[in-house]
Amino acid sequence: MNISVVVHGDDGVVVDKLESHRGVLTVARSCAEIAEVIALCETGLADAVILAGPAEEVDTQDIDSMIERGVPVVVLCDDVAQGQRLRAAGAYVSPTGTPAAELGILVTRARAELGHRERGPDPAHAGEPANGTTGKRARVVVFWGPVGSPGRSLVALNYAVECALGDEDVVLLDADTYGASQAVQLGLLDEAAGIAQICRTVDSGRFDATKLERICAPVVIAGARMRVATGLPRASRWPELRPTALRRAVLALQEGCDTIVVDVAAPLELDEELSFDTAAPQRNGVTAAMLRVADEIYAVGAADSIGVPRLIRALEELHEVLGELEMKVVFNKVSAANVGASPRQALAETWERFGPEIPVAAYLPHDAAAVDAALLAGSALAEIAPHSGLRVAIAGLAGRRIRAKTPLLRRFTPSM
């Protein structure tokens, strides 16, 4: 078996060592520019990359770009601090004087482990904690839906609040790269964008669950406390959210809380590279990365004659782009005015006839008055309209049983 490697930053020592050894590693190219290395990873000419230059000049974003293209990265480094930073970015670190035979073993193992991560965790060991972790692993719940404002951000916020009211340690991430709205819903004036700060902290290489959680703004609603990483105040700042950095942040946060709720944008197409001559950033890569890392996915669709077909087409597109993902459907804004008499039954029959084989998790009633009041107050339904049918339904989705308040009927006394 021959493994084609691309070497960067080498003065000839590493290449000569590998070629004279004649082992499993074959040097395909020696590059002076990191952009050329990433381009070779994009074309598939590199099975692995060896970075032999100064470790402090290695950018974690470049490592992300190579790993995202399925190419493992080995960095030759003797500095302990730099080695920790690079390992946190997903690279394999080895001393600069590592023999060629050992490099071959390391690269072979790196390729095997990277392929295992892309296929997902082994179900037989899914519940086992990773080495060096506390064993705590939060569940990641992602709310996604088609274009057209189906209400996924509203549902995500109130779902997170209900989990917090259930004595869970909750972190809400606003990862919508088109129209972040969690800060507005909560009345937070945050131009700093907590989600962007999280990505910058991850890129620095010195982070843990506690440090990332402190970046999130503390919010208290109806007596329950949770943390919120606010989204981008301007959509033009979307390059600040790198998919791999946010994915590593979520994996780190899983060790410090119980539930991570993520609000993502609707678009899924990953075709930005068609507009560039080189490897391009992916605006929709954040949505794809969060959907791939999620433990639970809720596809939120508007319960009307436009929202249901949009949801069906969006689910088909999701399957084409990301493959088979386990998820559940949530119909929002359910009302007789939009669907007709017996709206739940009508939606269930329509979904069974035209929709994909995805279960419906909830039918959320339309309650414009409660939603408007909560938005005006910069709070959630649990605090503004605790007995509304919409709040009760979202609480049920989060596993909490709450009774709706039955309105009192006034006795009608006919006038004489």
Side-chain angles (χ1 to χ4, degrees):
M1 178 183 68
N2 287 329
I3 300 175
S4 298
V5 297
V6 173
V7 182
H8 171 264
D10 179 38
D11 56 3
V13 175
V14 176
V15 173
D16 292 342
K17 181 166 51 177
L18 294 177
E19 291 182 342
S20 61
H21 177 65
R22 298 183 181 276
V24 297
L25 302 184
T26 301
V27 179
R29 192 79 60 87
S30 179
C31 304
E33 299 293 335
I34 197 68
E36 184 181 357
V37 177
I38 296 175
L40 291 172
C41 295
E42 182 74 26
T43 59
L45 295 179
D47 296 328
V49 172
I50 297 178
L51 303 180
E56 60 273 9
E57 297 180 3
V58 177
D59 195 333
T60 56
Q61 297 188 30
D62 295 331
I63 294 177
D64 289 343
S65 298
M66 301 172 202
I67 295 177
E68 286 172 355
R69 289 157 178 80
V71 180
V73 180
V74 175
V75 182
L76 302 182
C77 171
D78 295 323
D79 185 272
V80 176
Q82 291 294 334
Q84 292 177 347
R85 177 179 70 89
L86 297 171
R87 286 190 184 94
Y92 293 79
V93 179
S94 184
T96 54
T98 303
E102 294 183 14
L103 280 177
I105 295 173
L106 179 59
V107 170
T108 302
R109 178 167 63 89
R111 293 188 69 222
E113 291 180 355
L114 181 60
H116 176 71
R117 290 201 300 270
E118 290 178 344
R119 291 190 299 270
D122 186 354
H125 304 284
E128 297 179 5
N131 293 334
T133 66
T134 61
K136 186 175 184 178
R137 184 182 183 277
R139 64 190 179 105
V140 180
V141 184
V142 174
F143 285 87
W144 168 84
V147 297
S149 301
R152 58 182 174 272
S153 298
L154 171 75
V155 179
L157 169 61
N158 286 277
Y159 181 93
V161 171
E162 296 301 334
C163 290
L165 289 170
D167 295 330
E168 296 183 34
D169 189 357
V170 180
V171 175
L172 174 61
L173 303 179
D174 191 347
D176 191 331
T177 54
Y178 287 82
S181 61
Q182 295 299 342
V184 176
Q185 290 190 100
L186 291 170
L188 301 176
L189 299 177
D190 186 4
E191 289 292 324
I195 198 78
Q197 292 185 55
I198 285 178
C199 288
R200 287 194 293 269
T201 302
V202 169
D203 286 335
S204 70
R206 296 181 293 274
F207 67 95
D208 54 25
T210 302
K211 189 171 184 179
L212 293 179
E213 195 169 349
R214 286 175 181 170
I215 296 175
C216 304
V219 176
V220 178
I221 296 178
R225 184 179 183 274
M226 66 179 188
R227 287 190 173 269
V228 180
T230 53
L232 301 174
R234 293 183 296 278
S236 59
R237 291 177 56 183
W238 67 266
E240 296 181 33
L241 299 190
R242 295 193 311 104
T244 310
L246 191 56
R247 179 181 180 276
R248 288 207 305 269
V250 169
L251 295 177
L253 284 170
Q254 283 185 290
E255 300 177 20
C257 62
D258 299 313
T259 302
I260 302 173
V261 179
V262 188
D263 177 18
V264 297
L268 292 168
E269 62 275 6
L270 302 176
D271 58 358
E272 281 86 346
E273 67 272 11
L274 299 179
S275 304
F276 294 84
D277 295 330
T278 59
Q282 297 282 342
R283 182 171 190 175
N284 304 329
V286 168
T287 297
M290 293 299 97
L291 289 172
R292 289 191 178 107
V293 80
D295 297 306
E296 299 177 31
I297 302 174
Y298 290 105
V300 182
D304 54 44
S305 57
I306 295 178
V308 174
R310 277 180 174 174
L311 178 60
I312 293 175
R313 289 193 295 268
L315 289 171
E316 293 174 352
E317 181 184 358
L318 185 145
H319 180 73
E320 293 174 359
V321 175
L322 301 179
E324 194 68 32
L325 292 177
E326 185 175 349
M327 64 179 60
K328 297 178 182 178
V329 167
V330 173
F331 282 118
N332 191 26
K333 306 177 185 178
V334 177
S335 70
N338 291 335
V339 184
S342 303
R344 291 189 54 165
Q345 181 180 350
L347 286 167
E349 292 175 354
T350 302
W351 191 254
E352 183 178 0
R353 182 177 179 183
F354 299 105
E357 294 183 359
I358 299 176
V360 178
Y363 299 86
L364 307 181
H366 186 48
D367 192 345
V371 171
D372 291 343
L375 183 60
L376 183 62
S379 187
L381 295 171
E383 189 169 66
I384 304 303
H387 300 291
S388 70
L390 178 57
R391 188 264 168 134
V392 172
I394 296 178
L397 187 65
R400 302 186 67 237
R401 296 174 62 89
I402 299 174
R403 288 187 178 183
K405 187 175 181 180
T406 304
L408 297 177
L409 298 178
R410 293 183 178 180
R411 176 174 296 184
F412 174 71
T413 303
S415 59
M416 298 299 293

